[in-house]
Amino acid sequence: MKLKPCLTALALACAAGASFQAANAQEMKAEVIHWWTSGGESAAVKVFAEQFAKAGGTWVDTAIAGGVNARTAAINRVVGGTPPTAMQFNTGKQFDELVENDLLRDVDQIATEQKWKSFMPQAIIDATTRNGKMYAVPVNIHGQNWLWLSKAALEKAGASEPANWDEALVALEKLKVAGLIPLAFSGQKTWERGLFNAVLVGKGGTALWAAIHGKRDPAAARSPEFRAVAETYGKLRGYIDPGAPGRNWNDATNLVIQGKAGMQIMGDWAKGEFAAAGQTAGKEFGCAILSNEGGYVMGGDVFAFPKLKDPAQQKAQLVLAKVMLEPETQIRFAQKKGSIPVRLDLDVSSLDACAQKAVKLLADKKHQVAAQEMLSPPALTGAMEDVISQYWNTPAMTADAFMAKVADVLKQPF
């Protein structure tokens, strides 16, 4: 006869004379797979581990560098029958196949009990809901289209802080003339797409963003507005340094921190690197959303829970879900990570100046722009990324040729 795990554990504990607390600590062990490995990211994930420990648990950290690598490892573990307790995804469609194959546990009950939907943006709720149930715990909101700048570098170049892409091109040229790296860049496909998306929403506007990533309208890719986006993006090739190809994003951020580069386009996770270096927003570095409309590309991170048979592990999953969204956890995590809380009902006065800008923007729903990952399936995002990378790395490719390739991708039945 097979005993239930909880009864077996209880019998052993009693026989050994173990305390209730020790048994509870054993129950609350949680292995978490994530990709937060940079200095700022590591400091942030430590907040989750500490808060989980306060709740009586033990956080088993499985950090795997690179989002694609971490997600692949986690999915392989689930499919292979050795799932972790929790695993990280970007807010969006990356876990759809796991839901379709009944491999993820929904969190709808605790979401209802804790009233998550009352304090989260609708786009975040929609991005984690499948078939009417929430299947992941959103833990933050990341702005993906931030400009980070070195105050010292801009002063040396005699450049002003830009508010839009036309002004940014002027500042980049001045930085180039001053002998600085104008645009610190991570020449990897993910960040080539990230830079393009920042130009798309900032130069093209939120309606064009929705037409491309939401409606997938091939005609939008042939429009004059999209041509302006393509041409602006192409001009940025002339402002990066020879060391950009293959560079990690946080190494690019470090160039701005050191004042060797003037600017970087990167999500607000970069702010955690400035914080880790002891720099303060508004003092050593600045931040801006390059847009005439204030379009804030809203992404983030979620944790999903594989279906597990062990009641102790199931309990650990629920405690993790609750702890990650507690007000204290949300604020402390945001301070380290650079993001803002996914909860819009909190006092964020303790957060930095850039976070204050983000919260102010998101207070107006017209500024809330759902990230590409929320709108597009991974296959379409990958196909767009390939085309963008080809254009970026082929200076001889015309804007017309790029526009045609994007239109072709949008015609495909993903």
Side-chain angles (χ1 to χ4, degrees), residues 332-355:
R332 286 185 57 205
F333 180 82
Q335 289 171 335
K336 299 292 185 181
K337 187 67 168 63
S339 55
I340 64 172
V342 74
R343 298 185 61 142
L344 299 183
D345 63 336
L346 303 181
D347 178 2
V348 295
S349 59
S350 63
L351 300 183
D352 62 84
C354 301

Side-chain angles (χ1 to χ4, degrees), residues 54-92:
K54 286 183 181 178
T58 300
W59 177 286
V60 180
D61 198 72
T62 302
I64 301 173
V68 173
N69 296 334
R71 288 191 296 271
T72 301
I75 291 170
N76 286 343
R77 288 271 304 273
V78 173
V79 174
T82 58
T85 314
M87 50 191 180
Q88 181 188 2
F89 291 93
N90 290 123
T91 310

Side-chain angles (χ1 to χ4, degrees), residues 73-372:
I75 291 170
N76 286 343
R77 288 271 304 273
V78 173
V79 174
T82 58
T85 314
M87 50 191 180
Q88 181 188 2
F89 291 93
N90 290 123
T91 310
K93 299 180 178 295
Q94 293 172 347
F95 55 84
D96 279 10
E97 290 188 3
L98 292 175
V99 175
E100 291 168 3
N101 287 279
D102 199 29
L103 294 171
L104 284 189
R105 175 186 187 182
D106 76 75
V107 293
D108 215 52
Q109 182 176 343
I110 190 170
T112 300
E113 292 172 355
Q114 300 290 316
K115 300 180 180 179
W116 292 359
K117 296 179 182 180
S118 70
F119 53 67
M120 291 183 188
Q122 188 61 47
I124 300 292
I125 295 169
D126 293 343
T128 53
T129 300
R130 306 291 183 270
N131 304 317
K133 294 183 178 181
M134 291 187 74
Y135 275 89
V137 182
V139 297
N140 58 8
I141 297 174
H142 270 307
Q144 296 184 353
N145 56 320
W146 280 99
L147 168 71
W148 307 101
L149 53 89
S150 164
K151 296 271 190 177
L154 261 66
E155 183 177 354
K156 181 179 178 180
S160 301
E161 297 185 18
N164 55 51
W165 276 104
D166 292 337
E167 294 178 6
L169 289 172
V170 173
L172 288 167
E173 186 62 29
K174 289 184 176 182
L175 288 161
K176 186 175 183 178
V177 171
L180 296 165
I181 300 171
L183 184 64
F185 189 63
S186 170
Q188 299 174 11
K189 291 175 73 173
T190 297
W191 309 124
E192 292 165 354
R193 175 171 59 88
L195 178 59
F196 173 79
N197 278 341
V199 179
L200 176 62
V201 71
K203 181 73 175 178
T206 56
L208 183 60
W209 175 277
I212 296 294
H213 290 318
K215 299 176 183 176
R216 308 174 196 174
D217 181 7
R222 302 189 187 95
S223 67
E225 293 80 9
F226 193 81
R227 178 186 296 281
V229 169
E231 290 175 347
T232 299
Y233 182 62
K235 289 177 182 177
L236 297 177
R237 301 187 195 102
Y239 296 110
I240 65 172
D241 69 300
R247 178 185 286 144
N248 291 325
W249 71 265
N250 51 309
D251 293 326
T253 305
N254 197 45
L255 292 173
V256 180
I257 291 172
Q258 294 173 350
K260 295 179 180 179
M263 303 180 186
Q264 181 190 23
I265 295 291
M266 185 55 57
D268 56 13
W269 47 88
K271 188 170 41 145
E273 303 304 302
F274 288 97
Q279 295 196 358
T280 303
K283 186 178 178 182
E284 294 90 357
F285 73 96
C287 56
I289 296 294
L290 297 179
S291 172
N292 293 325
E293 300 178 1
Y296 192 89
V297 181
M298 188 174 56
D301 301 284
V302 303
F303 282 88
F305 302 129
K307 283 191 171 181
L308 302 173
K309 296 180 180 179
D310 185 353
Q313 284 287 287
Q314 293 173 0
K315 177 183 177 181
Q317 289 175 331
L318 292 177
V319 173
L320 274 174
K322 183 179 179 181
V323 163
M324 286 176 168
L325 286 175
E326 288 177 345
E328 180 186 354
T329 308
Q330 284 276 293
I331 294 295
R332 286 185 57 205
F333 180 82
Q335 289 171 335
K336 299 292 185 181
K337 187 67 168 63
S339 55
I340 64 172
V342 74
R343 298 185 61 142
L344 299 183
D345 63 336
L346 303 181
D347 178 2
V348 295
S349 59
S350 63
L351 300 183
D352 62 84
C354 301
Q356 300 292 341
K357 288 184 181 181
V359 171
K360 186 176 180 179
L361 280 170
L362 292 183
D364 187 339
K365 290 184 178 180
K366 72 180 181 182
H367 296 148
Q368 297 179 8
V369 179
Q372 182 180 4

